[in-house]
Amino acid sequence: MSRPIESTNAVLAARAAAEALAELRAGYATELPERVERLGHALAAWHRAPADATRLEHARVLAHKLRGTAGSYGFPEVGEAAGRVEEAVKKAGETSDDQQAAVWSEVLASLREAEELATEARARAGSPTSHDERVHR
Amino acid sequence: MTSIEKALVVDDDDDLLRLCKVSLQTFTDWRVSIAGSADAALHAAKSEVPDVILLDVMMPGGGGLSLLGELKGCPTTAGIPVVLLTAADATGIEACRARGAVGVISKPFDPAVLPEEIARIVREAGCR
């Protein structure tokens, strides 16, 4: 006779799990533009000193992390754009000086795409104003 | 699912740690610990001896593969099944297996099926 109760508990547990994930995703989406912005800062720092391998590696690691994390949080298009940034940065480390400008254009185009997609994701998750209010409350 | 009771998640990315922890805690009754560095992971693995370790390949220093080597080289932790998280391609995934991981989960992953995937890998590896 305990089956219906177990079944109800399972449904409730599944619903609670789905809600917990949805809440986590919404929080991540709200902060996604700032994450892409951090990547932009790292890329700009590397662009100012292209021979600095540490800056290049830092930018590549940030792009790589965003690639895996954004997709896992349910924003695959942002992850894919970050993946294109990572591939372009890797290419920059392997190409000659005269090709650097072309690679940088590629990096920027993918970064802009990631920025737009991240902003859209945040807009879908809730207004930035309400998040700011939560943060500063 | 399996007889997994304790899981350790290792990643230097807080976002991913949070996602994995929520996923494993809400979909299973496992006890989940997290570690944000190789040192913290080694300490946790030795003191808690989890039933499975979910380890990100892209870690600072020597990376997750270096940590995997340390875990496999220590008698206390050598027997713990390690599942790697990676965005690597097929060649990279084979390299992960060759280092002693029982399986690999590709990023991006679906957090709703992550626990099931870990349990399946561990079960098929005959560890639990």
Side-chain angles (χ1 to χ4, degrees):
Chain A
M1 290 301 282
S2 62
R3 280 251 162 96
I5 294 170
E6 283 171 11
S7 157
T8 306
N9 286 344
V11 170
L12 289 175
R15 192 178 298 162
E19 282 171 6
L21 280 182
E23 194 179 327
L24 203 60
R25 281 179 173 143
Y28 181 81
T30 305
E31 293 170 4
L32 197 45
E34 282 74 27
R35 285 169 171 80
V36 177
E37 195 180 345
R38 278 200 287 277
L39 171 60
H41 288 319
L43 289 166
W46 161 59
H47 189 55
R48 284 194 298 274
D52 189 331
T54 307
R55 290 186 184 196
L56 182 142
E57 182 59 10
H58 178 57
R60 191 195 65 76
V61 167
L62 283 186
H64 179 86
K65 285 189 182 302
L66 193 58
R67 179 185 207 168
T69 310
S72 301
Y73 269 89
F75 306 100
E77 65 286 358
V78 178
E80 284 158 19
R84 285 192 286 280
V85 171
E86 183 191 6
E87 294 308 318
V89 170
K90 277 201 271 191
K91 206 193 294 177
E94 296 158 3
T95 53
S96 56
D97 288 350
D98 58 334
Q99 289 177 317
Q100 291 292 327
V103 174
W104 177 247
S105 298
E106 216 175 299
V107 168
L108 271 189
S110 297
L111 178 67
R112 296 287 168 260
E113 200 184 337
E115 284 170 348
E116 282 170 23
L117 291 164
T119 305
E120 281 171 24
R122 176 162 69 179
R124 285 200 302 270
S127 74
T129 314
S130 62
H131 170 66
D132 291 344
E133 283 169 4
R134 280 201 305 274
V135 167
H136 296 112
R137 199 169 285 162
Chain B
M1 233 180 219
T2 65
S3 57
I4 294 173
E5 291 177 5
K6 287 183 286 179
L8 171 65
V9 185
V10 186
D11 201 315
D12 67 312
D13 185 335
D14 288 342
D15 290 329
L16 218 60
L17 271 185
R18 200 175 302 125
L19 183 63
C20 291
K21 189 173 182 182
V22 167
S23 163
L24 300 185
Q25 281 184 332
T26 52
F27 288 102
T28 71
D29 54 1
W30 303 349
R31 274 184 287 137
V32 183
S33 304
I34 54 173
S37 69
D39 286 347
L42 272 175
H43 181 262
K46 284 175 186 170
S47 57
E48 296 171 24
V49 193
D51 299 311
V52 64
I53 296 175
L54 182 63
L55 169 62
D56 186 38
V57 171
M58 180 66 77
M59 296 267 292
L65 292 181
S66 168
L67 175 57
L68 175 62
E70 287 191 66
L71 289 165
K72 292 297 158 193
C74 168
T76 313
T77 57
I80 304 170
V82 177
V83 178
L84 292 173
L85 262 180
T86 180
D89 56 13
T91 316
I93 288 173
E94 275 316 304
C96 293
R97 287 211 175 91
R99 300 284 192 97
V102 291
V104 177
I105 292 176
S106 296
K107 288 196 285 186
F109 59 85
D110 180 352
V113 297
L114 179 68
E116 211 176 298
E117 186 73 354
I118 294 170
R120 183 191 60 77
I121 289 170
V122 170
R123 194 173 50 243
E124 285 179 6
C127 303
R128 298 282 151 193

